[in-house]
Amino acid sequence: MRLLLGFMWLLHWLPLPVLGRFGTAVGSLLFLIMKPRRDITLVNLRLCLPELSEAERTALARRHFQAYSRSVFERSILWWASEARLQRLIKVVSFDGAHPESAGIPVAAMTQQPTILLCPHFVCLDVAGAAIAMQASASSMYVQQKNAVFDKVLRDGRARFKPVRLFTRLDGIKPILRALKEKLPYFMLPDMDFGEKDAEFVPFFGVPAATLSATARIAAATGAQVMPVICTFLPDYQGWQVKFYAPWDNYPGPDMVEATRRMNAFIEARVREAPAEYFWTHKRFKTRPNGEPSFYGKAR
C-alpha cells in the first residue's frame, strides 16, 4: 500500500491531460479484465437504458470504466496538489446562472441555514468536496478503510483545507443532526443500495430501487434545505465542473415516499446528461421487493 500511495503521490505532479489519458488507458484495460464488474455494469445499463442497442451499451460501459479509472488517478491531485492548482482546474457553476468564473461556491446560501448537499455517485464526486473545503467547513459520511495508512491519506486529503467532520455509519444519525443544527453543510450520498432498512422502493429509470429515505427524513427533522451538487469532467482533460443547483422548493413535504421519488427523478435526469460518469459498477438494484429474483445472478 505504501508503494501504491507513493506512486499516486508521484502522479499528482503530472499535467492533468497526461494523467487523465493515463487513467483512461488503464480503464480500457480494466474493462477487459474485470469481467464481474463489467457484467454488473451491463446489467444496470440494460435495465436503465433499454432504448440503446447492446453495442451502444457496451461502448458506454467501456467509457464508464475509463472515466472511473481516470477519476481514481486524478484523485492524487485532490490529495496533494496546491490550492492554487485546484482553483485553476475546478470550474464552479452556481444556481444563480452566473458565469462560472464569477459564480463561486455559494457559501452564504449553504451556511446561513441547515443545508444538505445532495451529491450523487458520479465518479468525480470527491472534487465537489475539495471545491467546498477550500472555502468552507462541511461534514459527510465516511467509510473507514481497513488499511490504516490508506485511511489516513483519505482523511488527510479531505481535511487539508478547512476543518471537516467525518462520520461513519456506526455513529448513527445524531452527529449529523448536530452538525446541521450548527449550520455545517452535510454531504448526502443516498443513491446506493444499502438494503431495505430505512429505504423505500421508488423508481430509478423506471425500475423499483431500494432508496434511502434519509434525505427527506433528515430535511424534515431539521428544516434543512436540499441543495444538489454535481461534479463532471470538463472537456479535453481540462479539469472538472462543480455545479450547484438551487435548493429544492417545498422539500420534502408531508410524503417521504414521494420526496424520495422526487430525489431519484432528479438524479436520473443528471445521469442522462453524463451517463458514462455515473457509478454503474454498483449493484443498484440488488435488493428486490417481494422476493423477486436477482438481476445480477452470480455476478460479484
Side-chain angles (χ1 to χ4, degrees), residues 3-72:
L3 287 175
L4 175 60
L5 291 173
F7 176 65
M8 290 284 288
W9 180 84
L10 290 173
L11 289 179
H12 93 274
W13 294 105
L14 293 174
L16 183 57
V18 175
L19 179 57
R21 286 182 172 87
F22 171 74
T24 297
V26 174
S28 297
L29 176 62
L30 295 177
F31 178 76
L32 295 175
I33 66 177
M34 295 183 68
K35 184 178 184 301
R37 287 295 162 182
R38 184 176 73 238
D39 290 346
I40 291 169
T41 299
L42 289 171
V43 168
N44 287 333
L45 292 176
R46 291 184 192 115
L47 291 169
C48 295
L49 300 173
E51 68 274 14
L52 298 182
S53 68
E54 188 67 10
E56 289 171 327
R57 287 191 290 265
T58 300
L60 178 56
R62 181 180 291 105
R63 294 198 303 274
H64 170 65
F65 272 71
Q66 292 168 342
Y68 182 73
S69 175
R70 174 184 167 188
S71 73
V72 171

Side-chain angles (χ1 to χ4, degrees), residues 17 106 109 129 140-141 146 158 170-171 175 177 180 212 256 296-297:
S140 71
M141 191 64 70
K146 294 180 180 180
R158 295 182 180 184
L170 296 178
D171 293 328
L177 300 180
L180 286 168
L212 292 176
M256 297 298 106
Y296 303 102

Side-chain angles (χ1 to χ4, degrees), residues 90-154:
I90 299 174
K91 303 299 181 183
V92 177
V93 179
S94 287
F95 51 82
D96 59 5
H99 191 264
E101 282 76 15
S102 63
I105 304 290
V107 175
M110 67 187 192
T111 57
Q112 290 177 350
Q113 68 180 91
T115 299
I116 295 170
L117 295 168
L118 181 74
C119 192
H121 279 83
F122 285 77
V123 297
C124 295
L125 65 87
D126 281 346
V127 179
I132 292 173
M134 288 187 285
Q135 297 193 35
S137 293
S139 62
S140 71
M141 191 64 70
Y142 170 74
V143 178
Q144 188 170 5
Q145 305 300 303
K146 294 180 180 180
N147 184 281
V149 175
F150 186 47
D151 187 76
K152 185 176 187 304
V153 169
L154 286 179

Side-chain angles (χ1 to χ4, degrees), residues 188 190 197-200 211-219 251 256-257 260 263:
M188 193 85 185
K197 183 179 179 182
D198 300 323
E200 302 288 348
T211 306
L212 292 176
S213 59
T215 303
R217 291 186 291 103
I218 293 174
Y251 190 86
M256 297 298 106
V257 176
T260 305
M263 178 187 72

Side-chain angles (χ1 to χ4, degrees), residues 202-228:
V202 294
F204 186 58
F205 286 88
V207 182
T211 306
L212 292 176
S213 59
T215 303
R217 291 186 291 103
I218 293 174
T222 62
Q225 63 180 349
V226 174
M227 181 187 296

